[in-house]
Each structure stands twice: as C-alpha cells, then as structure tokens.
C-alpha cells in the first residue's frame, strides 16, 4: 500500500534563511509525487510535481523539490524564505503505473517564517 | 477557466442528521475526489469518481457515500452525523490523461456537527 510521511509537524525558519520541509514515501512502482500548500480557510494549492526526469523539480513561488529514489524522499526546499510562505504544506504520492490510482497525502507540516 | 466550486462553504448540523455536499469540477475534468481534513487526522481520502463510477474508496464507514452525475458534478452524503464528522471536506478534480494528474482543489465545505 502507498503511504507518505512528513516527520515534522512544524518547521520554524527565519526570513531570508533557506527552508526544507521533509517528505518520505512508500509506493509500489514508480511514484508520482506532489507538493501542495494550504493557507488558512482555503483549499490546497498545487506547488510542484515529480513524474520522471530531472531529480530537481522547480515549482511555484520559488519552491523546488528534490526526488531521491534511494532514500524514497521528496523534500521541499526554498533558498530564501519569506514571511508569506507561512502556511500548511502537504506532500502527496500516487503510484505512477496507473492513472486510476488514488492520491494519498501526508499529515502536513506547518511552516512558520519569523521576520 | 473556472476553478472547482464547492457548496455550501459552511454548514452546521446536529447529531443524527444527514448532509449533502456538492462539487462542480473544472470544465473537462472527469475525475472528482473527496477528502476529509481534520486537525488530528490530516487529509484522509474518502473516494474518487470517474465517469459516474466510484473508482477508488478510502476507509470510511458506509455512512459516507457519494455519486457523480453525467456532467461530472459530484455530491457526497453523510448520514446519521456524529460529532467526529466535523471537518473540512475538500473536493478535487483532475484531468485524466497526460499531465501527471495533479489535483485541483476547491475551497472546501466546513461542516460543524453539534
């Protein structure tokens, strides 16, 4: 069965510093991996995805993520954090062999950027 | 293109009642998924519909049900409401060919059960 783990409930970073939000996954076959962001009282917004190709994926708002197959990880990163990046971040996975496979989300990581 | 639309945005019910939530996907998207979000459990998958058929199902009791219409609009129903059903219910649609299939979410329906 597929699963996603986000080991940190909360990540605190000073504005201007680099940030990393961790995600590990378990899935049969090749994974499709996603990152989403949720602002208060809103739905989830798509940030980026990995399907195949380069292990470093670039997405919206200056975020990027690195796919590491040997460590089954897909960590979200940003070189310089902004206060406006403060939100709830979700990692998700789908087994890539079938478009009919459901997408499973991690428990979420709250990112807090202090001025 | 209009996004995913969910109605109602907020509702309050009492235990034992039932509720129906509606979701209109992005035009051309034939897959609609439903998720329950609670502070303690995170984002839990309820079910996915594609071309009016349930394609995937999560681990929820039979009180949770859904359907999809020929225009891809979807509804979910929760019968005999319990306090623990209080949550944000999110609907998401996705294209079903090419693209890698990321989900596009609505703003959610926040259900409070008293």
């Amino acid at each position: 069965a597929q699963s996603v783990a986000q080991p940190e409930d909360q990540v605190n970073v000073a504005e201007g510093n680099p940030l990393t939000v961790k995600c590990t996954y378990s899935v049969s076959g090749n994974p499709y991996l996603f990152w989403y962001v949720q602002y208060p009282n809103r739905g989830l917004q798509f940030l980026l995805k990995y399907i195949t190709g380069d292990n470093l994926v670039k997405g919206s708002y200056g975020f990027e993520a690195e796919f590491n197959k040997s460590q089954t990880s897909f960590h979200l990163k940003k070189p310089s954090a902004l206060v406006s990046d403060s939100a709830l971040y979700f990692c998700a996975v789908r087994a890539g062999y079938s478009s009919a496979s459901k997408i499973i989300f991690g428990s979420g990581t709250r990112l807090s950027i202090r001025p | 293109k209009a996004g995913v639309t969910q109605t109602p945005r907020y509702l309050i019910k009492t235990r034992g009642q039932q509720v129906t939530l509606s979701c209109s996907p992005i035009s051309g998207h034939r897959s609609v998924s439903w998720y329950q979000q609670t502070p303690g459990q995170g984002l839990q998958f309820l079910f996915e519909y594609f071309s009016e058929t349930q394609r995937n199902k999560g681990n929820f009791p039979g009180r949770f049900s859904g359907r999809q219409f020929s225009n891809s609009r979807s509804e979910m129903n929760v019968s005999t409401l319990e306090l623990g059903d209080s949550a944000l219910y999110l609907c998401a649609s996705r294209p079903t060919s090419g693209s890698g299939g990321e989900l596009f979410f609505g703003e959610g329906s926040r259900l409070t059960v008293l």
Side-chain angles (χ1 to χ4, degrees), chain A residues 24-108:
Chain A
T24 59
Y25 67 90
S26 173
V27 69
S28 300
N30 295 321
Y32 283 20
L33 295 157
F34 308 88
W35 275 102
Y36 286 81
V37 60
Q38 185 180 36
Y39 297 101
N41 298 314
R42 305 295 297 275
L44 276 68
Q45 296 178 31
F46 170 73
L47 277 178
L48 50 80
K49 66 182 176 184
Y50 172 84
I51 298 174
T52 187
D54 288 342
N55 290 341
L56 186 64
V57 178
K58 294 188 184 298
S60 306
Y61 310 120
F63 284 94
E64 57 190 27
E66 186 169 12
F67 171 64
N68 187 316
K69 188 172 183 177
S70 63
Q71 296 186 2
T72 61
S73 68
F74 189 55
H75 300 333
L76 181 70
K77 300 181 180 184
K78 187 173 183 180
S80 179
L82 299 172
V83 172
S84 57
D85 293 330
S86 298
L88 188 57
Y89 290 80
F90 289 94
C91 180
V93 66
R94 170 165 76 88
Y97 61 91
S98 170
S99 63
S101 299
K102 60 189 177 186
I103 297 177
I104 299 299
F105 285 79
S107 55

